[in-house]
Amino acid sequence: PGTGNGSGNGTGNGSGNGAATSAGVASVESGARHSCSLRNDGAVYCWGRNEKGQLGDGSTQDRVRAQRVQGLSDAVDLALGDQHTCAVRRSGAVVCWGAGGQGQLGDGNAAGAATAPRPVTGITDATQISAGAKHTCARHRDGKVSCWGFNETRQLGHEKTQVSRTPERIDAFIDAVQVPRVERTLAFGAKEDP
């Protein structure tokens, strides 16, 4: 329930364009009005509302059946916001697509949307991703966390309330274990030294 959920654990038989595949589903995630499945082979399939391109199929047409996200065959984690979607690639790079007017895509662009994945600026070592309604956070291999997007209620983890169109490291968190989604605020777990 709710919007955006990184690192889901759903299982089942998914379908791409209505046809069964042997890849299997690693996880299923839901945004406000769209859903996506991450396959065991790294492919991502999405369906539902698509007014901002959040399905990643190169269009803004709503889809009842799952459509494969263009140019993405190596995803290892997936997160959905209200009208944007992001994935961590096997390499540690992050890509996002859909609404970008509030910085959700993390690519530095001030306006517009993307109907196919775009690289997030400066992230090459992500291990996990989590999305809120209009923002996203990624955990790096070193346990640090970076966030980007809408920040009206300081959900990006810093004092300023301006939109961040590129990822910003959150200095307050060291050795984050997970970046889960809880209602409209992200919660972080930190390793404490004895």
Side-chain angles (χ1 to χ4, degrees), residues 4 15 24 27 31 47-48 53 58 72 75 88-89 97-98 109 127 134 148 150 158 160-161 165 171 177 179 185 189:
S15 62
S27 67
W47 61 95
L72 186 59
V88 176
R89 299 188 99 136
W97 59 95
N109 289 324
T127 59
K134 296 179 182 178
W148 61 95
F150 193 63
H158 51 74
K160 63 184 180 178
T161 57
R165 298 193 186 285
D171 294 329
V177 176
V179 286
T185 306

Short mmCIF file of all heavy atoms in Angstrom, two decimals, residues 4 15 24 27 31 47-48 53 58 72 75 88-89 97-98 109 127 134 148 150 158 160-161 165 171 177 179 185 189:
data_model
loop_
_atom_site.label_atom_id
_atom_site.label_comp_id
_atom_site.label_asym_id
_atom_site.label_seq_id
_atom_site.Cartn_x
_atom_site.Cartn_y
_atom_site.Cartn_z
N GLY A 4 5.53 4.26 -3.92
CA GLY A 4 6.98 4.07 -3.91
C GLY A 4 7.43 3.08 -2.88
O GLY A 4 7.15 3.21 -1.72
N SER A 15 3.97 -11.31 -16.66
CA SER A 15 3.84 -11.45 -18.10
C SER A 15 4.27 -10.17 -18.77
O SER A 15 3.99 -9.09 -18.28
CB SER A 15 2.41 -11.79 -18.47
OG SER A 15 1.55 -10.75 -18.09
N GLY A 24 10.80 -15.26 -14.71
CA GLY A 24 10.34 -15.20 -13.33
C GLY A 24 10.40 -13.78 -12.81
O GLY A 24 11.15 -12.94 -13.30
N SER A 27 10.56 -9.11 -8.08
CA SER A 27 9.80 -8.23 -7.21
C SER A 27 8.75 -7.48 -8.01
O SER A 27 8.86 -7.36 -9.23
CB SER A 27 10.72 -7.24 -6.48
OG SER A 27 11.30 -6.33 -7.39
N GLY A 31 3.41 2.30 -7.68
CA GLY A 31 3.40 3.74 -7.49
C GLY A 31 1.96 4.17 -7.22
O GLY A 31 1.12 3.35 -6.86
N TRP A 47 3.04 -1.27 -16.10
CA TRP A 47 1.68 -1.13 -16.60
C TRP A 47 0.93 -0.13 -15.73
O TRP A 47 1.36 0.20 -14.64
CB TRP A 47 0.97 -2.49 -16.61
CG TRP A 47 0.84 -3.12 -15.25
CD1 TRP A 47 -0.23 -3.06 -14.40
CD2 TRP A 47 1.82 -3.92 -14.58
NE1 TRP A 47 0.03 -3.75 -13.23
CE2 TRP A 47 1.28 -4.30 -13.33
CE3 TRP A 47 3.11 -4.36 -14.92
CZ2 TRP A 47 1.97 -5.09 -12.41
CZ3 TRP A 47 3.80 -5.13 -13.98
CH2 TRP A 47 3.24 -5.50 -12.77
N GLY A 48 -0.19 0.39 -16.27
CA GLY A 48 -1.02 1.35 -15.54
C GLY A 48 -1.03 2.71 -16.21
O GLY A 48 -0.86 2.83 -17.43
N GLY A 53 5.09 9.28 -18.76
CA GLY A 53 6.08 8.33 -19.27
C GLY A 53 6.62 7.39 -18.22
O GLY A 53 7.64 6.73 -18.44
N GLY A 58 8.50 4.39 -23.89
CA GLY A 58 8.68 5.34 -24.99
C GLY A 58 7.42 6.10 -25.35
O GLY A 58 7.41 6.85 -26.33
N LEU A 72 16.53 -1.32 -20.77
CA LEU A 72 16.89 -1.72 -19.41
C LEU A 72 16.80 -3.24 -19.29
O LEU A 72 15.71 -3.82 -19.30
CB LEU A 72 15.95 -1.05 -18.40
CG LEU A 72 16.28 -1.24 -16.92
CD1 LEU A 72 17.68 -0.72 -16.58
CD2 LEU A 72 15.24 -0.54 -16.06
N ALA A 75 18.61 -4.49 -14.47
CA ALA A 75 18.16 -3.90 -13.21
C ALA A 75 18.30 -4.89 -12.06
O ALA A 75 18.10 -6.10 -12.24
CB ALA A 75 16.72 -3.43 -13.33
N VAL A 88 18.11 0.58 -10.13
CA VAL A 88 19.56 0.42 -9.97
C VAL A 88 19.98 -0.63 -10.99
O VAL A 88 19.37 -1.70 -11.07
CB VAL A 88 19.94 -0.04 -8.55
CG1 VAL A 88 21.44 -0.31 -8.45
CG2 VAL A 88 19.50 0.97 -7.51
N ARG A 89 21.03 -0.31 -11.75
CA ARG A 89 21.58 -1.26 -12.72
C ARG A 89 22.63 -2.13 -12.04
O ARG A 89 23.17 -1.76 -10.99
CB ARG A 89 22.20 -0.51 -13.89
CG ARG A 89 21.20 0.34 -14.63
CD ARG A 89 21.80 0.91 -15.88
NE ARG A 89 21.36 0.06 -16.96
CZ ARG A 89 20.91 0.51 -18.12
NH1 ARG A 89 20.88 1.80 -18.37
NH2 ARG A 89 20.51 -0.33 -19.04
N TRP A 97 12.87 7.49 -14.98
CA TRP A 97 12.02 7.93 -16.09
C TRP A 97 10.66 8.33 -15.53
O TRP A 97 10.31 8.01 -14.41
CB TRP A 97 11.92 6.85 -17.16
CG TRP A 97 11.36 5.54 -16.69
CD1 TRP A 97 10.06 5.12 -16.78
CD2 TRP A 97 12.08 4.46 -16.08
NE1 TRP A 97 9.93 3.86 -16.26
CE2 TRP A 97 11.15 3.43 -15.82
CE3 TRP A 97 13.42 4.27 -15.71
CZ2 TRP A 97 11.51 2.22 -15.22
CZ3 TRP A 97 13.76 3.08 -15.11
CH2 TRP A 97 12.83 2.07 -14.88
N GLY A 98 9.92 9.11 -16.34
CA GLY A 98 8.61 9.61 -15.92
C GLY A 98 8.69 11.10 -15.63
O GLY A 98 9.44 11.83 -16.27
N ASN A 109 18.00 18.22 -15.24
CA ASN A 109 17.08 18.97 -16.09
C ASN A 109 16.00 19.65 -15.26
O ASN A 109 15.48 19.08 -14.31
CB ASN A 109 16.45 18.07 -17.15
CG ASN A 109 17.44 17.66 -18.20
OD1 ASN A 109 18.31 18.44 -18.58
ND2 ASN A 109 17.34 16.42 -18.67
N THR A 127 23.38 0.46 -4.38
CA THR A 127 23.01 -0.92 -4.08
C THR A 127 21.51 -1.05 -3.84
O THR A 127 20.98 -2.15 -3.90
CB THR A 127 23.75 -1.44 -2.83
OG1 THR A 127 23.42 -0.61 -1.72
CG2 THR A 127 25.25 -1.45 -3.05
N LYS A 134 7.55 12.30 -4.87
CA LYS A 134 8.27 13.10 -5.87
C LYS A 134 9.76 13.19 -5.55
O LYS A 134 10.42 14.16 -5.91
CB LYS A 134 7.67 14.51 -5.93
CG LYS A 134 6.25 14.53 -6.42
CD LYS A 134 5.69 15.94 -6.43
CE LYS A 134 4.25 15.93 -6.88
NZ LYS A 134 3.66 17.26 -6.87
N TRP A 148 17.39 13.00 -4.15
CA TRP A 148 17.10 14.06 -5.11
C TRP A 148 15.59 14.17 -5.29
O TRP A 148 14.84 13.27 -4.95
CB TRP A 148 17.80 13.81 -6.43
CG TRP A 148 17.41 12.54 -7.13
CD1 TRP A 148 16.45 12.39 -8.10
CD2 TRP A 148 17.96 11.23 -6.90
NE1 TRP A 148 16.37 11.08 -8.49
CE2 TRP A 148 17.29 10.35 -7.77
CE3 TRP A 148 18.94 10.73 -6.06
CZ2 TRP A 148 17.57 8.99 -7.83
CZ3 TRP A 148 19.22 9.38 -6.10
CH2 TRP A 148 18.55 8.52 -6.98
N PHE A 150 11.86 16.53 -4.98
CA PHE A 150 11.07 17.49 -4.22
C PHE A 150 11.48 17.44 -2.75
O PHE A 150 11.72 16.37 -2.20
CB PHE A 150 9.59 17.12 -4.37
CG PHE A 150 8.64 18.16 -3.91
CD1 PHE A 150 8.60 19.41 -4.51
CD2 PHE A 150 7.75 17.89 -2.89
CE1 PHE A 150 7.69 20.37 -4.10
CE2 PHE A 150 6.82 18.83 -2.48
CZ PHE A 150 6.80 20.08 -3.07
N HIS A 158 18.08 17.23 4.32
CA HIS A 158 18.86 18.43 4.62
C HIS A 158 17.92 19.60 4.87
O HIS A 158 16.73 19.54 4.55
CB HIS A 158 19.90 18.73 3.53
CG HIS A 158 19.36 18.76 2.14
ND1 HIS A 158 18.59 19.78 1.65
CD2 HIS A 158 19.48 17.86 1.14
CE1 HIS A 158 18.26 19.52 0.39
NE2 HIS A 158 18.79 18.36 0.06
N LYS A 160 17.59 22.80 3.68
CA LYS A 160 16.96 23.63 2.65
C LYS A 160 15.71 22.92 2.10
O LYS A 160 15.63 21.70 2.11
CB LYS A 160 17.94 23.96 1.54
CG LYS A 160 18.47 22.78 0.78
CD LYS A 160 19.51 23.23 -0.24
CE LYS A 160 20.03 22.03 -0.99
NZ LYS A 160 20.98 22.39 -2.00
N THR A 161 14.75 23.72 1.64
CA THR A 161 13.51 23.13 1.15
C THR A 161 13.37 23.25 -0.37
O THR A 161 12.29 23.02 -0.90
CB THR A 161 12.30 23.79 1.83
OG1 THR A 161 12.35 25.20 1.59
CG2 THR A 161 12.27 23.49 3.31
N ARG A 165 17.73 18.81 -8.18
CA ARG A 165 17.61 18.16 -9.49
C ARG A 165 18.71 17.14 -9.75
O ARG A 165 18.66 16.40 -10.73
CB ARG A 165 17.60 19.22 -10.59
CG ARG A 165 16.41 20.14 -10.43
CD ARG A 165 16.14 21.00 -11.63
NE ARG A 165 15.08 21.94 -11.34
CZ ARG A 165 13.79 21.65 -11.26
NH1 ARG A 165 13.40 20.42 -11.44
NH2 ARG A 165 12.90 22.57 -11.00
N ASP A 171 24.88 13.76 4.79
CA ASP A 171 26.01 13.57 5.70
C ASP A 171 25.63 12.96 7.04
O ASP A 171 26.45 12.36 7.71
CB ASP A 171 26.72 14.90 5.94
CG ASP A 171 27.38 15.42 4.67
OD1 ASP A 171 27.80 14.60 3.83
OD2 ASP A 171 27.44 16.65 4.50
N VAL A 177 21.92 0.84 6.46
CA VAL A 177 21.67 -0.57 6.21
C VAL A 177 20.57 -0.73 5.17
O VAL A 177 20.60 -1.62 4.34
CB VAL A 177 21.27 -1.29 7.51
CG1 VAL A 177 20.93 -2.73 7.25
CG2 VAL A 177 22.39 -1.17 8.52
N VAL A 179 17.21 1.73 2.96
CA VAL A 179 16.47 2.96 2.77
C VAL A 179 15.01 2.62 2.47
O VAL A 179 14.55 2.69 1.35
CB VAL A 179 17.07 3.88 1.67
CG1 VAL A 179 18.33 4.54 2.14
CG2 VAL A 179 17.33 3.12 0.38
N THR A 185 7.76 9.95 4.43
CA THR A 185 9.10 10.24 4.94
C THR A 185 9.94 8.98 4.83
O THR A 185 9.47 7.89 5.07
CB THR A 185 9.02 10.67 6.42
OG1 THR A 185 8.10 11.75 6.53
CG2 THR A 185 10.37 11.09 6.94
N GLY A 189 18.37 3.37 8.65
CA GLY A 189 19.00 2.66 9.74
C GLY A 189 20.49 2.94 9.70
O GLY A 189 21.10 2.90 8.64
#
